[in-house]
């Protein structure tokens, strides 16, 4: 078959899929937050694409939601490390994506492995929500900050990163496993016999669920670096579907994309199946901020990207940190910054921490 014929078939397929009379199927996990996030992406696409195709949502269960009791650190190790272990939240959905049952997937970006299956790619990253971690106190608590909690107070978290950072910054506190969706964790905190003085959750998830009023404190990323990709959404598409890739790119936010790509490149460069706690924070200053009339094209002319990353041991007693910044005007330059920061971390001894906990 000639290349001309292939191009013609791809164009015909694109026109069929993107026709306003056809349906575009978005896939996501079976959770309230996943549905809210997917509806948000669809709303962004519908506002941008004129005429807009009809969108429907297909949900599916994933392996990571099935086991509510095993600590995530153990689940992660059983599947090959903290980054590879994220496939517990994506593999089942990707089967439907590759088979054509759904046209794109919407994930919390922090749940996506930094290396995707060969038939899949990260198509777009919408504008990022607040990336910080939030402290949620019991409703009857007298405390307004984690700094105020007395020795022996129990902090609930399912994250090895949060556990290590609590132990580093507040060694007088105890950290206990607290798994489940947001409502489940809040119920565990609010129960009359709850052992928890507070729990830690991503600020973004609470805001998207309309639970911002439960946030007692937003932790400064300078002392409590967040998870790679936290606060961002990732839209995953099947490789070779240029029609769907172009469709989802309508929701892409370039500054958020470059920040996330740098963070993910750093993590990918560091991890070979390790389960070490790793935190990051990034920022992007657009050149467009000083260009009149470019408010809708923020980041299109590039800007300065900065990335800071920290690798800790499980107890939070040892850590190495590094940061770098540079001018960025492409995806590859953003990823190179992440690789640079990873190289700095390795030179400072991160390899010993990674090896110790793999």
């Amino acid at each position: 078959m000639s290349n001309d014929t292939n191009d013609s078939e791809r164009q015909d397929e694109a026109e069929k899929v993107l026709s306003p009379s056809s349906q575009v199927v978005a896939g996501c996990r079976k959770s309230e937050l996943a549905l809210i996030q997917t509806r948000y992406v669809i709303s962004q696409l519908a506002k941008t694409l004129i005429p807009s195709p009809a969108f429907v949502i297909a949900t599916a269960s994933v392996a990571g939601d099935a086991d509510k009791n095993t600590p995530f650190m153990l689940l992660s190790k059983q599947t090959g490390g903290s980054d590879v272990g994220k496939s517990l939240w994506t593999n089942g959905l990707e089967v439907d994506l590759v088979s054509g049952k759904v046209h794109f997937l919407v994930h919390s970006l922090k749940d996506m492995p930094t290396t995707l299956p060969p038939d899949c790619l990260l198509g777009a990253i919408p504008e990022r929500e607040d990336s910080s971690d939030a402290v949620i106190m019991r409703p009857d608590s007298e405390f307004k900050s984690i700094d105020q909690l007395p020795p022996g107070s129990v902090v609930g978290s399912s994250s090895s990163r949060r556990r290590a950072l609590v132990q580093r910054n507040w060694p007088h506190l105890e950290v206990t496993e607290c798994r489940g969706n947001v409502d489940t964790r809040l119920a565990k905190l609010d129960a009359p016999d709850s052992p928890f003085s507070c729990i830690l959750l991503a600020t973004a998830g609470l805001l998207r669920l309309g639970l911002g009023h439960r946030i007692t404190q937003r932790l400064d990323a300078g002392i409590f670096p967040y998870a790679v990709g936290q606060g961002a959404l990732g839209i995953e598409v099947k490789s070779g579907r240029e029609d769907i890739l172009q469709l989802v790119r309508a929701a892409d936010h370039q500054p958020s994309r470059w920040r996330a790509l740098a963070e993910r490149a750093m993590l990918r460069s560091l991890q070979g199946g390790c389960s070490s706690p790793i935190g990051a924070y990034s920022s992007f200053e657009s050149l467009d901020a000083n260009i009149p009339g470019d408010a809708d094209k923020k980041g299109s002319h590039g800007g300065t990207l900065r990335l800071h990353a920290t690798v800790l041991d499980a107890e939070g007693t040892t850590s190495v940190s590094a940061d770098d910044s540079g001018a960025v005007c492409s995806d590859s330059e953003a990823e190179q910054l992440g690789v640079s920061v990873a190289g700095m971390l390795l030179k400072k001894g991160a390899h010993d921490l990674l090896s110790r906990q793999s």
Side-chain angles (χ1 to χ4, degrees), residues 17-332:
V17 171
L18 301 181
S19 168
S21 62
S22 65
Q23 287 188 337
V24 175
V25 185
C28 68
R29 291 164 57 184
K30 286 184 177 179
S31 76
E32 182 181 0
L33 180 57
L35 283 167
I36 287 173
Q37 292 175 164
T38 304
R39 290 178 187 130
Y40 167 76
V41 168
I42 288 173
S43 71
Q44 296 300 108
L45 293 173
K47 286 193 301 185
T48 306
L49 299 170
I50 301 175
S52 172
F55 292 96
V56 295
I57 299 175
T59 61
S61 298
V62 295
D65 291 325
D67 187 341
K68 301 294 187 183
N69 299 313
T70 304
F72 175 71
M73 286 187 291
L74 180 56
L75 279 174
S76 176
K77 287 182 179 179
Q78 291 171 348
T79 52
S82 57
D83 189 47
V84 179
K86 293 176 183 178
S87 62
L88 289 167
W89 279 264
T90 59
N91 274 353
L93 297 171
E94 287 164 343
V95 170
D96 290 342
L97 179 65
V98 172
S99 70
K101 291 182 180 179
V102 301
H103 295 108
F104 64 86
L105 301 173
V106 178
H107 305 283
S108 293
L109 188 61
K110 67 184 179 68
D111 292 339
M112 293 184 71
T114 57
T115 300
L116 301 180
D119 293 332
C120 302
L121 59 87
L122 180 56
I125 298 174
E127 187 168 5
R128 196 169 187 172
E129 182 55 272
D130 187 332
S131 302
S132 69
D133 289 284
V135 178
I136 303 92
M137 298 288 183
R138 293 173 57 85
D140 58 354
S141 177
E142 62 183 292
F143 304 111
K144 301 301 180 184
S145 166
I146 194 171
D147 303 280
Q148 299 173 348
L149 291 176
S153 297
V154 178
V155 178
S157 176
S158 61
S159 161
S160 61
R161 173 188 58 86
R162 290 173 181 150
R163 178 187 296 269
L165 286 169
V166 168
Q167 293 174 328
R168 181 178 76 167
N169 292 296
W170 303 281
H172 61 287
L173 303 180
E174 298 180 14
V175 186
T176 300
E177 186 77 16
C178 183
R179 286 197 64 197
N181 59 32
V182 172
D183 286 341
T184 298
R185 296 189 209 188
L186 290 174
K188 290 179 179 179
L189 172 69
D190 296 344
D193 58 349
S194 173
F196 304 116
S197 295
C198 70
I199 60 174
L200 303 181
L201 295 170
T203 297
L206 291 164
L207 294 177
R208 288 173 178 140
L209 287 166
L211 294 170
H213 62 282
R214 289 302 309 264
I215 297 174
T216 306
Q217 177 188 12
R218 301 188 193 196
L219 294 172
D220 183 351
I223 64 168
F224 211 90
Y226 43 77
V228 165
Q230 185 162 297
L233 303 178
I235 306 177
E236 188 175 9
V237 302
K238 182 180 178 180
S239 301
R241 290 301 303 265
E242 291 298 321
D243 53 335
I244 302 300
L245 177 60
Q246 291 305 311
L247 182 148
V248 301
R249 279 291 175 92
D252 195 66
H253 182 252
Q254 205 164 63
S256 297
R257 180 182 183 85
W258 287 339
R259 285 178 57 201
L261 289 179
E263 293 172 20
R264 286 170 61 80
M266 177 274 298
L267 184 61
R268 183 168 55 247
S269 298
L270 285 180
Q271 289 193 288
C274 75
S275 56
S276 181
I278 298 174
Y281 62 88
S282 60
S283 63
F284 180 80
E285 184 177 351
S286 174
L287 292 176
D288 298 332
N290 298 317
I291 301 177
D294 274 2
D296 294 332
K297 300 180 181 179
K298 188 175 181 181
S300 62
H301 295 91
T304 300
L305 179 63
R306 182 185 178 189
L307 173 63
H308 176 100
T310 299
V311 179
L312 307 101
D313 67 350
E315 294 75 31
T317 55
T318 305
S319 65
V320 293
S321 297
D323 66 85
D324 197 7
S325 63
V328 168
C329 59
S330 69
D331 289 0
S332 60

